[in-house]
């Protein structure tokens, strides 16, 4: 029986997808957003992400790109064969003797001066150290003198001897053909190029990043047909990465660099939350717990029979109509009675107001702690936008001052540069003076008092009793305000701590909880920990100790638990 014609190839052409060489359109796309966002978190807006950096950052599955492996394997075997032939052809004992002989022959031709300079020259020759010969060249009074010229030639011969010795030590030669010194140096350079290309090809085979291969170097060894196939694969991969980048919210600018769009911003926040809550799902705890408290603002899927006093706005209309139809057994007209009505259950979800104080003082640059702080802020903002849209969130940047920050500007924050290196700093500035400028104030100090004050003012306007401040810092405050007077004091001064604790007490008096997340620092001492406890006690808050990489997880979990307690 004749088989019917199945035009399967038409589908492949229509989708512009080659199933023999490229990943399927239904396959999970590679994550391009996370590497780009991590780059921006590290460098802020000071440096854009180039296509090469993005290509190196993303992870592709080479097994999904049929044809890539065989092409790279063929090139690897070709280079290995070339290397094997070189090592089986030559020997290095004779060329080492030639290089040593050339060095001492040139040394004997030197007309050594009398006195200490001549003795130093002979000692430098015997040491066979380029550094000693260079120092001797500088000791010569005239760079054009015969001694200076002879030393230059001697340094060149010693350099050649070094390269020949390295050639013999680095590779195992088994052949019998002798080499001249220039030939040995040329072979050494060729072997170094082969080893580097082999390393690049192995990396490309593991990561599918053909861009790491030096095509101009490889072209000297490979056949033209092999290079054409590899460059065609590279073009396809670049086009694939570009398309995936556009789908995930990364757009190229006129200079060829990639820019972050709001879509990429949201995708990255979603990935952060997915990573954070993966442990919660594994422990069988959810994000939405709490009993039903009468008529609430959040409508649930579960229903219950209507009771006197229930609001009709939560009525499940389809189920209520079905109940009436079943009761009347199809009789018309259809009449709805109270016993037919089903009401959606509801729960209360009280609004919560939060300010996040992000320490961007000079000490946060150590070990990249500022990256962890910004990552946490983005995750928290994504959580509130997606899960608790009625909540209020305000970010503040803390350094010598405290400034509100929009969510879209968080990624561009960087630690302030240290502009004073004196062991003791005692500065005061009257900020009410018209001539005083924030830009003339050293920015790298830590003003927790001003940050708490600004947070308190923001939260005072929020009509909810559930108000909290999340303070993320690495230690003691070193700046505070007294009226319009700004004090910058290092080492930390008791007056700064007292002003900060007073502000914490004002927060507690207004019903604002201060939760402190103390992250590790190279300069952290017992005094930093004691201060965190004193501030938490004054403001009726808590202290959390966490490693920098776990900061986002701890803050998000604490926020969700706090919401759970409010609902319950």
């Amino acid at each position: 029986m004749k088989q019917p014609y199945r035009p399967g190839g038409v589908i492949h052409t229509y989708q512009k997808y080659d199933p023999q060489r490229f990943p399927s359109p239904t396959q999970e796309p590679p994550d391009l957003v996370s590497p780009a966002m991590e780059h921006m978190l590290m460098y802020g807006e000071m440096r854009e992400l180039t296509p090469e950096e993005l290509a190196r950052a993303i992870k592709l599955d080479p097994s999904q790109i049929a044809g890539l492996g065989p092409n790279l394997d063929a090139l690897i075997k070709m280079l290995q064969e070339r290397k094997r032939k070189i090592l089986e052809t030559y020997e290095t004992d004779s060329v080492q003797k030639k290089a040593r002989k050339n060095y001492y022959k040139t040394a004997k031709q030197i007309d050594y001066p009398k006195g200490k300079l001549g003795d130093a020259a002979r000692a430098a020759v015997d040491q066979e150290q380029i550094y000693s010969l260079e120092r001797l060249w500088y000791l010569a009074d005239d760079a054009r003198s015969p001694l200076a010229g002879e030393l230059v030639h001697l340094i060149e011969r010693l350099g050649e001897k070094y390269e020949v010795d390295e050639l013999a030590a680095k590779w195992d030669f088994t052949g019998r053909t002798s080499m001249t010194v220039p030939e040995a140096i040329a072979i050494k350079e060729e072997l170094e190029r082969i080893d580097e290309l082999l390393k690049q090809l192995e990396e490309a085979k593991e990561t599918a990043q053909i861009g790491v291969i030096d095509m101009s170097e490889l072209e000297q060894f490979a056949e033209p047909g092999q290079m054409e196939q590899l460059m065609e694969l590279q073009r396809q991969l670049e086009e694939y990465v570009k398309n995936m980048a556009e789908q995930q919210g990364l757009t190229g600018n006129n200079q060829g660099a990639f820019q972050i769009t709001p879509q990429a911003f949201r995708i990255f926040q979603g990935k952060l939350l997915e990573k954070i809550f993966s442990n919660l799902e594994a422990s069988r705890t959810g994000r939405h717990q709490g009993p039903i408290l009468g008529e609430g603002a959040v409508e649930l899927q579960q229903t219950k029979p209507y009771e006197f006093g229930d609001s009709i706005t939560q009525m499940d209309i389809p189920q209520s109509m079905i109940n009436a139809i079943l009761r009347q057994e199809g009789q018309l007209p259809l009449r709805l009675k109270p016993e037919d009505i089903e009401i959606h259950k509801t729960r209360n979800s009280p609004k919560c107001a939060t300010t996040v104080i992000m320490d961007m003082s000079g000490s946060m640059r150590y070990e990249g702690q500022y990256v962890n702080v910004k990552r946490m802020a983005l995750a928290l903002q994504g959580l509130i936008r997606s899960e608790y849209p009625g909540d209020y969130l305000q970010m503040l940047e803390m350094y010598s001052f405290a400034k509100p920050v929009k969510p879209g500007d968080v990624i561009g924050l960087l630690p302030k540069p240290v502009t004073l290196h004196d062991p003791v700093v005692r500065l005061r500035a009257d900020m009410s003076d018209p001539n005083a400028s924030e830009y003339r104030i050293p920015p790298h100090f830590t003003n927790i008092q001003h940050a708490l004050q600004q947070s308190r003012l923001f939260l005072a306007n929020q009509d909810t009793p559930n108000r909290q401040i999340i303070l993320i810092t690495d230690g003691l405050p070193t700046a505070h305000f007294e009226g319009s007077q700004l004090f910058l004091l290092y080492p930390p001064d008791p007056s700064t701590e007292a002003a900060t604790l007073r502000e914490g007490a004002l927060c507690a008096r207004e019903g604002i909880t201060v939760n402190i997340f103390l992250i590790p620092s190279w300069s952290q001492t017992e005094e930093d920990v004691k201060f965190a406890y004193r501030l938490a006690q004054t403001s009726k808050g808590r202290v959390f100790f966490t490693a920098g990489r776990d900061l986002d997880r701890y803050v998000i979990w604490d926020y969700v638990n706090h919401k759970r307690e409010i609902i319950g």
Side-chain angles (χ1 to χ4, degrees):
M1 181 177 179
K2 186 177 180 181
Q3 294 291 331
Y5 173 68
R6 301 182 184 277
V10 177
I11 298 175
H12 297 151
T13 305
Y14 176 75
Q15 292 181 341
K16 297 181 180 179
Y17 148 63
D18 183 355
Q20 297 297 321
R21 301 174 68 87
F22 237 67
S24 166
T26 60
Q27 181 188 337
E28 184 72 18
D31 181 10
L32 279 72
V33 171
S34 295
M37 292 295 289
E38 290 292 343
H39 174 93
M40 296 293 287
L41 287 173
M42 178 64 71
Y43 296 103
E45 297 176 346
M46 297 177 62
R47 200 161 67 87
E48 293 175 316
L49 189 66
T50 65
E52 291 78 13
E53 289 169 332
L54 180 63
R56 291 188 68 93
I58 64 172
K59 295 185 173 49
L60 298 173
D61 185 1
S63 64
Q64 297 294 329
I65 307 175
L68 176 63
N71 281 329
L72 296 180
D73 285 337
L75 290 169
I76 290 172
K77 290 180 180 178
M78 178 267 296
L79 290 173
Q80 289 174 339
E81 180 65 17
R82 171 65 179 165
K83 180 179 177 180
R84 184 186 63 80
K85 287 183 178 179
I86 292 175
L87 296 179
E88 291 180 353
T89 300
Y90 298 101
E91 55 86 22
T92 55
D93 290 341
S94 60
V95 74
Q96 282 185 281
K97 294 177 182 178
K98 293 176 185 177
R100 181 178 177 82
K101 182 178 179 180
N102 291 344
Y103 170 68
Y104 280 102
K105 181 179 180 181
T106 305
K108 289 180 180 179
Q109 297 174 355
I110 296 178
D111 184 13
Y112 294 102
K114 296 180 180 181
K116 293 183 178 180
L117 184 61
D119 296 338
R122 292 185 180 89
V125 170
D126 293 336
Q127 292 172 1
E128 296 186 5
Q129 296 292 328
I130 290 180
Y131 172 72
S132 301
L133 295 176
E134 287 178 343
R135 287 189 62 189
L136 189 64
W137 184 86
Y138 283 111
L139 290 174
D141 294 334
D142 186 3
R144 298 180 181 179
S145 65
L147 177 61
E150 291 167 346
L151 286 174
V152 170
H153 291 298
L154 186 61
I155 290 172
E156 290 177 355
R157 299 290 85 76
L158 184 57
E160 292 174 351
K161 181 179 179 298
Y162 280 1
E163 292 202 65
V164 171
D165 289 341
E166 183 183 359
L167 174 70
K170 194 171 181 180
W171 293 278
D172 295 327
F173 286 85
T174 58
R176 295 185 177 182
T177 304
S178 61
M179 299 175 280
T180 64
V181 172
E183 287 175 346
I185 294 174
I187 288 174
K188 174 178 175 288
E189 293 175 352
E190 182 177 354
L191 288 173
E192 287 174 341
R193 291 199 303 271
I194 290 175
D195 284 348
E196 182 63 26
L197 285 171
L198 286 172
K199 181 180 177 182
Q200 293 171 1
L201 289 168
E202 290 290 350
E203 182 180 352
K205 187 178 176 181
E206 292 292 329
T207 62
Q209 295 172 355
I210 302 180
V212 303
I213 303 173
D214 188 340
M215 293 295 185
S216 60
E217 286 288 345
L218 185 60
E219 200 169 4
Q220 300 178 20
F221 298 97
E223 297 293 332
Q226 290 177 309
M227 290 302 300
E228 289 176 4
Q229 292 177 3
L230 189 62
M231 294 182 76
E232 177 61 27
L233 274 174
Q234 183 180 18
R235 283 191 292 270
Q236 291 184 18
L237 279 172
E238 289 175 352
E239 187 67 24
Y240 176 64
V241 170
K242 181 180 177 182
N243 292 337
M244 290 298 101
E246 291 176 354
Q247 291 179 20
Q248 297 181 33
L250 300 176
T251 59
N253 58 19
N254 295 332
Q255 288 75 34
F258 284 93
Q259 294 178 331
I260 305 295
T261 66
Q263 178 190 359
F265 204 81
R266 290 190 295 271
I267 291 175
F268 181 65
Q269 288 178 322
K271 290 183 179 295
L272 284 177
L273 292 175
E274 181 181 353
K275 179 181 178 182
I276 291 168
F277 283 112
S278 61
N279 290 335
L280 285 176
E281 293 167 357
S283 61
R284 300 183 66 184
T285 59
R287 282 182 269 175
H288 307 284
Q289 290 185 354
I292 309 303
L293 300 179
E295 184 178 334
V298 180
E299 188 177 273
L300 305 178
Q301 290 184 354
Q302 296 90 343
T303 61
K304 67 182 185 72
Y306 170 79
E307 296 177 4
F308 180 76
D310 287 342
S311 175
I312 300 300
T313 57
Q314 273 85 38
M315 183 173 70
D316 184 350
I317 296 177
Q319 186 60 49
S320 299
M321 299 301 294
I322 291 172
N323 291 343
I325 293 172
L326 293 175
R327 180 180 51 81
Q328 295 189 195
E329 298 180 350
Q331 296 180 9
L332 296 176
L334 189 64
R335 298 183 184 277
L336 199 63
K337 292 186 176 183
E339 59 265 27
D340 299 326
I341 299 176
E342 291 282 331
I343 300 293
H344 279 286
K345 293 181 179 181
T346 61
R347 75 170 186 195
N348 284 326
S349 183
K351 184 171 146 184
C352 183
T354 304
T355 60
V356 177
I357 300 173
M358 300 175 291
D359 191 346
M360 287 293 146
S361 60
S363 61
M364 295 299 290
R365 70 185 186 276
Y366 295 105
E367 299 181 358
Q369 293 288 20
Y370 68 97
V371 175
N372 301 318
V373 173
K374 295 195 292 181
R375 189 185 294 111
M376 176 282 306
L378 293 177
L380 184 59
Q381 195 265 338
L383 172 74
I384 292 176
R385 190 193 69 247
S386 60
E387 300 291 336
Y388 309 107
D391 285 3
Y392 171 82
L393 178 66
Q394 176 63 56
M395 309 284 189
L396 285 97
E397 177 190 16
M398 178 180 67
Y399 48 107
S400 296
F401 301 88
K403 300 290 183 182
V405 180
K406 297 178 181 178
D409 296 334
V410 169
I411 197 169
L413 298 180
L414 290 173
K416 304 306 176 188
V418 178
T419 56
L420 293 177
H421 299 277
D422 297 343
V424 178
V425 178
R426 292 289 184 268
L427 296 178
R428 182 178 67 178
D430 184 2
M431 300 309 296
S432 65
D433 186 347
N435 296 321
S437 171
E438 177 185 333
Y439 299 102
R440 300 179 63 182
I441 303 296
H444 59 276
F445 290 80
T446 307
N447 197 335
I448 298 178
Q449 177 261 339
H450 192 218
L452 292 176
Q453 183 186 69
Q454 292 293 308
S455 296
R456 184 167 54 84
L457 295 176
F458 278 113
L459 295 176
N461 298 323
Q462 301 305 312
D463 57 346
T464 174
N466 309 309
R467 295 176 294 173
Q468 67 167 334
I469 297 172
I470 296 177
L471 170 61
I472 304 165
T473 185
D474 62 350
L476 287 162
T478 54
H480 72 279
F481 274 97
E482 292 183 8
S484 62
Q485 300 289 325
L486 173 63
F487 291 86
L488 306 176
L489 307 174
Y490 184 85
D493 191 87
S495 62
T496 300
E497 180 176 337
T500 304
L501 293 178
R502 284 196 300 270
E503 193 60 46
L506 289 175
C507 291
R509 191 177 68 181
E510 297 184 15
I512 300 172
T513 302
V514 180
N515 291 323
I516 305 162
F517 288 81
L518 196 63
I519 57 179
S521 171
W522 67 273
S523 60
Q524 201 169 79
T525 65
E526 185 180 355
E527 285 302 314
D528 297 279
V529 178
K530 288 182 178 179
F531 163 75
Y533 275 118
R534 286 193 292 269
L535 179 58
Q537 185 178 10
T538 302
S539 60
K540 300 180 181 179
R542 295 168 294 170
V543 181
F544 298 85
F545 300 93
T546 173
R549 290 293 299 182
D550 292 330
L551 178 64
D552 53 357
R553 180 164 59 91
Y554 276 97
V555 173
I556 297 299
W557 285 12
D558 181 66
Y559 188 88
V560 172
N561 287 332
H562 181 62
K563 292 288 292 186
R564 197 176 294 149
E565 291 169 6
I566 294 172
I567 294 170

